Amino acid sequence: MLRRIYHKLFRAYGPQGWWPADDAFEVMIGAILTQNTAWSNVEQAIAGLRKHDCLKPERILEIHPRRLAKLIKPSGYFNIKAKRLRNLCRWYLDQGGMTVLTGMDTDSLRKGLLAVNGVGPETADDILLYAFDRPVFVVDAYTRRLFGRCGLIDPQLPYETFRTEVERKLKGDAPLYNEYHALIVHHAKVACRTKPVCDGCCLQTVCAFSAQ
DNA sequence: ACCCAGGGTCATA
DNA sequence: TATGACCATGGG
């Protein structure tokens, strides 16, 4: 059933081409900045960072925290996100950069990411999937509502439990998880133009399909 | 003027 | 384990 929902979304919207970034490190930065924040705001923040050559960990660590906060201001929560960016960059460099990180197994990578203050389960999985191409299904609020409403997975399950349930039922690879999560987000955005946010409307198409 | 977005932490019970 | 306060901007 998870497969059929995927195909319906894909047929409706086509490939989404996530993650919108120039390289893996930029994906990590974007994953922090987009926490509870519209992507349009994140784009402005990243533009600010790029303008000041701050899309590298060394630069982010060397500029003054207050200035970093100013650069990412459009993304909101700029003070705490400035700290989180620094935490992530310190970890990134301490580990030895992309070369070393790429060689690590997925579980070790996730543990390392989660140990960074400011990186929670969803942000960690964003990074695992979209920066390191690991076969990890990213669970967000939309995913819970979608699969919950379709009666496929209990939306109240803890994050890790919900994720492993999806992966167990779906048995997909990284490219599939990549498109699936992007499609769910896109679906929520375009189909939720009507006011009652997302409870009755945005899942209707998919749920009507799954009910047959 | 109001609502919330591609979450996470910390204090509290 | 599970709530609640808190963080803050821009676009609808």
Side-chain angles (χ1 to χ4, degrees):
Chain A
M1 192 55 67
L2 289 179
R3 289 259 173 195
R4 307 192 63 176
I5 294 173
Y6 170 78
H7 287 304
K8 184 167 183 63
L9 289 171
F10 189 88
R11 196 169 64 245
Y13 304 120
Q16 299 299 302
W18 272 28
W19 184 286
D22 290 344
D23 54 53
F25 182 75
E26 191 179 320
V27 172
M28 300 194 236
I29 298 305
I32 295 286
L33 294 179
T34 197
Q35 289 170 351
N36 201 39
T37 300
W39 184 253
S40 59
N41 289 34
V42 178
E43 286 180 315
Q44 301 177 46
I46 290 181
L49 290 173
R50 179 172 285 113
K51 187 172 179 182
H52 293 265
D53 195 29
C54 284
L55 286 174
K56 334 182 243 199
E58 299 85 354
R59 284 280 295 157
I60 288 178
L61 288 172
E62 79 184 23
I63 68 174
H64 196 285
R66 211 137 42 211
R67 193 176 157 195
L68 178 59
K70 196 170 190 174
L71 290 180
I72 63 171
K73 183 172 156 199
S75 72
Y77 304 131
F78 46 80
N79 286 317
I80 191 156
K81 281 178 179 174
K83 283 181 193 167
R84 291 176 180 180
L85 287 181
R86 293 175 62 87
N87 294 340
L88 184 64
C89 289
R90 184 172 315 269
W91 171 80
Y92 179 90
L93 292 178
D94 285 350
Q95 293 301 307
M98 275 304 292
T99 312
V100 174
L101 292 172
T102 302
M104 292 172 61
D105 65 275
T106 300
D107 286 333
S108 304
L109 255 185
R110 179 184 282 110
K111 279 185 183 23
L113 285 165
L114 289 175
V116 176
N117 186 294
V119 176
E122 187 177 335
T123 303
D125 286 346
D126 272 335
I127 294 173
L128 287 170
L129 178 61
Y130 292 106
F132 292 95
D133 296 308
R134 305 307 171 94
V136 167
F137 194 97
V138 178
V139 176
D140 63 353
Y142 298 137
T143 310
R144 290 177 182 277
R145 282 185 215 164
L146 173 58
F147 296 159
R149 281 188 68 85
C150 294
L152 297 172
I153 300 177
D154 178 4
Q156 299 188 39
L157 289 174
Y159 184 93
E160 285 298 296
T161 313
F162 193 100
R163 177 177 64 79
T164 52
E165 263 303 282
V166 175
E167 292 172 2
R168 185 182 66 79
K169 295 190 179 206
L170 191 53
K171 297 192 205 316
D173 52 11
L176 178 79
Y177 294 157
N178 180 321
E179 280 300 327
Y180 208 155
H181 178 246
L183 283 166
I184 289 173
V185 173
H186 181 71
H187 177 61
K189 275 198 296 202
V190 301
C192 279
R193 280 317 184 201
T194 52
K195 265 306 170 192
V197 190
C198 199
D199 271 332
C201 69
C202 82
L203 312 176
Q204 232 165 22
T205 317
V206 171
C207 287
F209 177 79
S210 73
Q212 79 170 13

